[in-house]
């Protein structure tokens, strides 16, 4: 009989050989771009299968292939090939947006915000970056920043209904948070007044003079 469902089974595997794959960093841009596009297609497949962590890793590796695009003299490598330069930048931007999408799915808002910030430095009115950064702010319960990003998005493109719905939700949550914070501040102030010795109005003037047991400062203390 084979092992039961509750039995532990140990399998030992020996790796005999493996293919390390091509060194994409050594590729010329003309070869690097089609290679990266094939890797992006694989990452997209992983994303559709909800394998967000692995997909994000693939997207990150693609962006690493184009880390040099922001260097001052990088255009010298693309002389006579402006279309190739723009295609590389576009692919990197798309991968950064997808990194943000994966990070939101993985409940990793910090990484999502970092990716969106990089996109907005390249494309200041990118609506997807504003939307995904707003989603990340929502996960952090930073409703003020979420509202700011969503309002900016709606100003750029008023027809994005998803952004309008999320903006309404963010504004509602911001209002609830503001009310709670005001209640906490009000309560803290009340407690501090109670505990503050300077707020104690019971002194020797309030003590009946014919009551020797009354609390308060003795008159002779002020003589």
């Amino acid at each position: 009989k084979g092992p039961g469902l509750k039995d532990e089974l140990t399998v030992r595997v020996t790796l005999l050989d493996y293919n390390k794959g091509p060194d994409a960093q050594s590729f010329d841009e003309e070869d690097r771009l089609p290679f990266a596009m094939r890797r992006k297609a694989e990452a997209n497949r992983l994303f559709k299968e909800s394998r967000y962590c692995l997909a994000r890793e693939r997207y990150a590796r693609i962006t690493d292939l184009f880390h040099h695009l922001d260097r001052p003299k990088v255009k010298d490598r693309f002389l006579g090939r402006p279309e190739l330069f723009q295609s590389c930048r576009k692919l990197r931007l798309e991968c950064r947006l997808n990194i943000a999408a994966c990070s939101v799915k993985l409940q990793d808002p910090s990484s999502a915000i970092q990716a969106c910030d990089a996109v907005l430095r390249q494309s200041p009115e990118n609506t997807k970056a504003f939307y995904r950064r707003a989603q990340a702010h929502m996960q952090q319960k930073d409703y003020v920043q979420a509202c700011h990003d969503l309002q900016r998005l709606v100003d750029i493109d008023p027809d994005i209904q998803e952004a309008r719905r999320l903006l309404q939700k963010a504004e509602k949550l911001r209002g609830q948070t503001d009310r709670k914070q005001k209640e906490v501040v009000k309560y803290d102030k009340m407690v501090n007044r109670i505990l503050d010795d300077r707020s104690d109005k019971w002194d020797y003037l309030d003590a009946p003079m014919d009551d020797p047991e009354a609390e308060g400062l003795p008159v002779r203390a002020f003589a």
Side-chain angles (χ1 to χ4, degrees):
K1 295 182 180 181
L5 294 177
K6 295 183 180 180
D7 295 336
E8 293 184 1
L9 180 63
T10 301
V11 178
R12 180 175 295 177
V13 178
T14 301
L15 179 63
L16 300 178
D17 195 9
Y18 76 100
N19 183 2
K20 186 178 180 180
D23 181 12
Q25 293 289 352
S26 64
F27 288 178
D28 182 79
E29 272 67 19
E30 290 184 348
D31 297 324
R32 188 175 300 195
L33 180 61
F35 173 82
M37 293 180 68
R38 291 194 298 270
R39 301 299 294 173
K40 180 174 178 287
E42 174 66 15
N44 291 345
R45 181 185 65 81
L46 294 169
F47 184 89
K48 291 178 181 178
E49 295 176 356
S50 301
R51 301 169 69 182
Y52 303 120
C53 188
L54 195 56
R56 183 172 66 172
E57 180 187 352
R58 296 290 188 274
Y59 291 127
R61 289 184 179 181
I62 295 170
T63 61
D64 288 343
L65 290 176
F66 302 105
H67 67 279
H68 59 289
L69 294 181
D70 295 324
R71 293 177 181 173
K73 296 184 179 180
V74 69
K75 290 188 178 181
D76 293 344
R77 300 177 58 173
F78 293 89
L79 288 177
R81 302 178 295 176
E83 297 84 1
L84 179 61
F85 177 69
Q86 294 302 327
S87 295
C88 291
R89 283 171 55 87
K90 180 175 180 291
L91 179 61
R92 185 182 64 174
L93 183 145
E94 291 172 350
C95 288
R96 283 174 170 168
L97 286 172
N98 291 345
I99 288 172
C102 290
S103 298
V104 169
K105 293 288 187 181
L106 294 168
Q107 299 290 312
D108 183 4
S110 297
S111 296
I113 291 171
Q114 183 179 3
C116 291
D117 288 346
V119 170
L120 291 169
R121 284 194 293 269
Q122 177 180 337
S123 177
E125 295 191 350
N126 190 287
T127 55
K128 288 184 178 180
F130 278 119
Y131 186 79
R132 290 172 188 172
R133 192 168 71 175
Q135 288 180 305
H137 286 312
M138 293 285 285
Q139 290 180 348
Q140 292 180 328
K141 301 187 186 308
D142 188 349
Y143 304 120
V144 174
Q145 289 299 323
C147 288
H148 181 272
D149 280 345
L150 291 166
Q151 187 59 59
R152 182 75 178 99
L153 192 163
V154 171
D155 290 342
I156 296 170
D157 189 347
D159 297 329
I160 302 179
Q161 296 303 317
E162 290 183 0
R164 289 186 172 276
R165 287 192 291 269
L166 189 59
L167 177 58
Q168 291 177 352
K169 181 179 179 180
E171 289 175 339
K172 180 179 179 180
L173 290 170
R174 182 179 65 178
Q176 293 175 354
T177 301
D178 289 344
R179 285 192 294 272
K180 289 180 180 179
Q181 289 177 344
K182 288 179 181 179
E183 291 175 359
V184 170
V185 171
K186 183 178 179 181
Y187 177 79
D188 288 344
K189 287 183 178 179
M190 180 182 68
V191 172
N192 289 335
R193 283 198 299 269
I194 294 173
L195 298 178
D196 190 351
D197 293 337
R198 293 174 298 178
S199 67
D200 189 358
K201 295 182 171 47
W202 176 258
D203 58 19
Y204 77 99
L205 294 176
D206 297 315
M209 297 305 293
D210 58 349
D211 185 359
E213 301 297 329
E215 294 182 359
L217 295 175
V219 176
R220 64 174 180 274
F222 292 87

